[in-house]
Amino acid sequence: LNDLEQQIRKKDAGESAAKVHDDGEILLAQTTLERAKLETLKNEMIPRVEAEKNDLAVEQADATLKQLKATYALKRKAAEADLGAAVAKRYWEDTAANLEALSTANRDPKKALRAYPGLFRRSLEADNRMCLCSFMAAEYDDLPDPVKAEVQAFADVNVAWLTRMLAAASVPASKRETRARAIFAAVAGAQLMARSRADLKLFDSLI
């Protein structure tokens, strides 16, 4: 396993352990609240001071439980964002490595550009899947900021590689980045359309 994969597994294991601990704290707080409520059933039969103490115990136990639940939700959300960002980072780093391998295998930049859609085609061949970051991009507005940054990095890596290949293919500098973005958008869009119809041939025809 590479370092990032090890980090992802460590994060996942750490979050699982933290969740078990937090679940236990909430369960204990719930039990404390229920016991405090049971004590208030005696209020009419005990001195007023003791009854007030029972009521205060309920308020404190209830406040503790609410705080634990709120903290729990925040922790889970933060953990999900952290893990999602790590997974997306690994994905675009793998993509960057695949792009470099593609250009190494195809010294002619035009051949490399023609082979580029094949990276997206592989996902469709694997049970009609989309590229992970393309899938995440479809839900961009709902993503946590750390995940958004890694999804953007995926697009940037693709556009940067395409721009470099277009430069090597003697495309004018003024047109390279715009054309690179258009190619990336077209290939990612073709993948999305083909996936929505589970039709690999449609992808090929659009490309």
Side-chain angles (χ1 to χ4, degrees):
L1 296 176
N2 61 37
D3 289 342
L4 185 55
E5 288 174 327
Q6 290 177 342
Q7 289 175 27
I8 290 172
R9 290 196 173 190
K10 186 176 180 179
K11 287 177 186 293
D12 194 26
E15 166 56 13
S16 295
K19 186 176 182 299
V20 169
H21 175 269
D22 293 344
D23 285 341
E25 284 198 328
I26 288 178
L27 181 59
L28 178 59
Q30 288 173 333
T31 301
T32 300
L33 176 58
E34 292 304 317
R35 287 177 177 173
K37 286 180 177 179
L38 286 174
E39 288 298 313
T40 63
L41 297 178
K42 305 175 185 177
N43 283 358
E44 293 183 0
M45 299 176 288
I46 60 177
R48 182 177 178 182
V49 173
E50 296 300 321
E52 289 177 350
K53 287 182 179 179
N54 286 344
D55 290 337
L56 180 59
V58 170
E59 291 178 8
Q60 291 176 336
D62 186 52
T64 298
L65 179 58
K66 288 178 179 177
Q67 182 59 51
L68 284 172
K69 286 183 175 180
T71 301
Y72 182 94
L74 290 173
K75 283 183 178 180
R76 300 292 83 74
K77 185 175 181 180
E80 287 174 6
D82 193 29
L83 184 59
V87 170
K89 179 178 175 64
R90 182 183 67 179
Y91 191 83
W92 74 250
E93 288 183 345
D94 286 346
T95 297
N98 289 335
L99 288 170
E100 290 307 313
L102 188 63
S103 54
T104 298
N106 298 275
R107 292 298 183 179
D108 182 341
K110 292 182 180 179
K111 288 184 178 180
L113 287 167
R114 284 194 291 271
Y116 172 72
L119 296 181
F120 289 75
R121 195 180 194 278
R122 289 179 199 168
S123 296
L124 293 171
E125 291 172 340
D127 299 325
N128 193 38
R129 296 174 182 171
M130 283 182 66
C131 291
L132 176 65
C133 287
S134 294
F135 179 80
M136 288 182 168
E139 304 296 330
Y140 188 81
D141 288 344
D142 296 326
L143 296 176
D145 288 342
V147 182
K148 286 181 179 179
E150 302 302 341
V151 170
Q152 289 172 348
F154 172 75
D156 291 343
V157 162
N158 279 271
V159 171
W161 182 87
L162 288 165
T163 300
R164 184 153 53 89
M165 292 301 103
L166 291 170
S170 301
V171 172
S174 61
K175 298 181 179 180
R176 290 171 195 164
E177 186 171 350
T178 299
R179 189 169 295 180
R181 292 184 182 280
I183 293 171
F184 173 63
V187 175
Q191 184 192 54
L192 177 61
M193 184 172 289
R195 183 182 185 277
S196 69
R197 301 186 183 185
D199 188 349
L200 192 56
K201 291 181 179 179
L202 177 59
F203 177 81
D204 295 335
S205 68
L206 291 171
I207 297 301

